Amino acid sequence: MHRYFTDQRHEALRRRVREFAEREVRPRIAEMEAARTVCHDLSRLIARQGWIGATVHRAYGGMGAGHLAKTLIIEELARVSGAMGAMVQASQLGAAKIIHFGTEEQKKTWLPAIASGDCLPTIAVTEPQSGGHVLGMTGTAVRDGGDYVLNGRKIYVGNSHVGDLHGVVMRTSEGPAGLSAFLVEAGSPGLRVGGQRPAMGLHGFGFGELFFDDCRVPAANLLGREGDGLSVAYSSSVLYGRPNLTAVSLGIHQAVLDETARFCTERERYGKPLSALGNIKIKLGRIQSRLLTARLAAYHAVHLLDQGAPCDAELMNAKLVNVETALESARDAMDIHAACGLFTDRPVERYLRDAHHIFAPAGTSDVQLLRLGELALGTAKGEWSSRLSDLVRKEPAEDGAGGVPESAPAGRHGSVLRERAELRPTG
């Protein structure tokens, strides 16, 4: 089914990512599960493959391969490790703000470093009191000469502990037009990263807190214009956050099916493999059916995005369908494993834990349904996929396009970021 959307380049990319994940990521899973903390060195190793730059234009050292290629990368990593799939999706989400709103100077400065893996970007929007209500944020940015002074606290920042460049949305004035976005380098005076907190799943990935205490940011680091912060947040969430999280769910879902089918073949009941029982086949059939439907929704949505077609509804629906079906299938898998699924020598319990982490970011299922309802009623406030179609449309294919660059220019800040990364402790 998926070959309807993918071509030979896509499938070659899939094989490369899958081979890498099996060789480099799978042997680290037990370590990450035991440590329950951010895996710095593996995050850097993955970034150096060039995959963070999947949608970065080739002119800036990226792959220029589009959103379907990005989905395949995240999916294949998440099939082995939901945590590393989440790490890549969060960084690619962090790149979106620069792709959509960065000046030419900002793009030349940062996108090559992101594409080469020297810079892991994040996006920081959510605050403790306002949650998903972006307009309720109270963190401030006040202009002071050639700088802005930032004060506030951000939570649930994906890659907060490995990020090199934070895209931060703060309030510069009152009202819906009073939000603005800034690029803030890690290590800036007045910026502090909160301590790591153990989470239910996605061990190896971190989503933590950033504290801003009179953090001075050059005015040149303003993304777009003052008042563009809401657009930066919403467009990044709709056009990158939802499809990226869809891809993580899809990879976990595939892992659920693979592991459960293997278990049913190996495990015996009444002198026969568990897979010989009719009720087990039906449960496996439900998992397979859900996965086929989920993959169709995911690939269709990003295929439209690559074409520059209006697809906000498809992106919302893909996130909704993939999250809900992955959770349903993970629960069915736990039923099939019964008591065996409760022990960590089998990964099915990890899949269930990891799948729950994808539910809330970029909008819960109720949020997706609410927005889809508004689209049905004709009361939605415009489509980001239409507004930014020229920036999200896939580049024309060339020989070698869609592959992983052997090397990419490091960008102006590349060497500094590389030195900083080498000094970081490993996870």
Side-chain angles (χ1 to χ4, degrees):
M1 178 273 295
H2 61 77
R3 298 297 175 89
Y4 174 77
F5 296 106
T6 62
D7 57 24
Q8 291 182 346
R9 292 189 181 95
H10 287 122
E11 293 307 318
L13 175 61
R14 183 197 297 277
R15 286 192 298 272
R16 284 196 295 276
V17 180
R18 179 172 295 187
E19 290 167 2
F20 174 92
E22 292 291 346
R23 182 179 69 253
E24 301 291 347
V25 180
R26 192 176 295 281
R28 300 289 299 276
I29 290 175
E31 174 189 342
M32 289 189 288
E33 287 296 303
R36 299 184 69 179
T37 188
V38 175
C39 193
H40 291 268
D41 56 345
L42 185 55
S43 298
R44 292 288 166 183
L45 177 62
I46 293 172
R48 287 197 294 272
Q49 307 311 304
W51 295 328
I52 308 300
T55 61
V56 173
H57 198 286
R58 288 190 291 271
Y60 302 107
M63 292 170 61
H67 292 266
L68 179 53
K70 171 170 62 72
T71 294
L72 299 180
I73 291 167
I74 299 169
E75 177 190 353
E76 288 301 324
L77 288 168
R79 188 184 66 85
V80 172
S81 167
M84 290 301 102
M87 187 282 294
V88 170
Q89 77 81 22
S91 291
Q92 291 172 335
L93 171 61
K97 61 190 180 291
I98 303 174
I99 294 172
H100 295 165
F101 288 91
T103 64
E104 185 61 23
E105 181 65 21
Q106 289 168 342
K107 290 179 180 180
K108 288 180 178 178
T109 299
W110 292 109
L111 291 182
I114 291 170
S116 67
D118 287 311
C119 173
L120 286 176
T122 79
I123 189 162
V125 178
T126 307
E127 295 186 355
Q129 302 305 317
S130 55
H133 177 45
V134 177
L135 287 175
M137 72 170 60
T138 58
T140 60
V142 177
R143 183 71 182 257
D144 182 24
D147 298 330
Y148 284 86
V149 181
L150 277 55
N151 282 283
R153 175 186 173 198
K154 298 296 181 180
I155 61 173
Y156 309 139
V157 180
N159 283 341
S160 55
H161 295 90
V162 296
D164 300 297
L165 183 69
H166 305 293
V168 184
V169 179
M170 290 289 196
R171 184 164 290 286
T172 47
S173 62
E174 297 299 320
L179 301 181
S180 302
F182 304 87
L183 296 173
V184 184
E185 292 188 59
S188 296
L191 168 60
R192 178 171 63 87
V193 181
Q196 296 183 33
R197 297 174 58 192
M200 179 174 72
L202 295 184
H203 299 152
F205 169 68
F207 52 106
E209 297 178 282
L210 299 177
F211 297 86
F212 299 87
D213 184 11
D214 290 337
C215 178
R216 301 189 76 88
V217 177
N221 285 24
L222 175 70
L223 272 171
R225 300 165 299 179
E226 273 200 22
D228 281 347
L230 192 62
S231 295
V232 171
Y234 281 177
S235 66
S236 298
S237 177
V238 172
L239 301 181
Y240 275 73
R242 285 170 181 159
N244 287 9
L245 292 160
T246 293
V248 177
S249 288
L250 186 59
I252 294 171
H253 203 161
Q254 182 67 60
V256 166
L257 177 63
D258 293 345
E259 177 61 26
T260 307
R262 185 182 305 112
F263 176 79
C264 291
T265 302
E266 297 170 353
R267 194 78 171 176
E268 288 194 358
R269 278 294 181 270
Y270 315 117
K272 295 180 180 179
L274 199 58
S275 57
L277 299 177
N279 63 325
I280 296 298
K281 287 182 181 178
I282 289 172
K283 278 187 177 290
L284 280 172
R286 286 199 186 105
I287 296 174
Q288 177 75 81
S289 176
R290 291 188 197 111
L291 179 59
L292 289 170
T293 302
R295 181 168 282 117
L296 179 61
Y299 287 11
H300 174 60
V302 291
H303 173 73
L304 292 175
L305 194 58
D306 277 338
Q307 305 308 306
C311 59
D312 284 30
E314 286 82 359
L315 293 169
M316 296 173 196
N317 186 61
K319 205 258 181 177
L320 170 71
V321 168
N322 272 267
V323 167
E324 292 295 332
T325 58
L327 284 167
E328 289 172 3
S329 291
R331 286 191 286 265
D332 275 350
M334 288 293 289
D335 288 347
I336 292 172
H337 280 74
C340 291
L342 303 176
F343 294 94
T344 57
D345 61 331
R346 288 191 175 273
V348 66
E349 58 87 29
R350 170 166 60 90
Y351 301 150
L352 180 61
R353 288 187 284 109
D354 288 353
H356 275 287
H357 277 256
I358 314 303
F359 178 77
T364 65
S365 294
D366 280 352
V367 169
Q368 310 306 329
L369 290 170
L370 181 65
R371 299 292 175 248
L372 287 167
E374 290 171 350
L375 284 169
L377 293 168
T379 58
K381 298 178 181 179
E383 292 208 348
W384 287 108
S385 50
S386 297
R387 296 184 202 180
L388 300 177
S389 61
D390 288 343
L391 297 174
V392 297
R393 186 181 291 113
K394 180 185 174 183
E395 291 182 62
E398 296 178 359
D399 290 342
V404 178
E406 292 183 5
S407 61
R412 179 173 304 176
H413 294 273
S415 60
V416 175
L417 291 168
R418 191 180 301 112
E419 291 170 6
R420 184 183 300 157
E422 290 169 353
L423 293 173
R424 286 196 173 105
T426 61

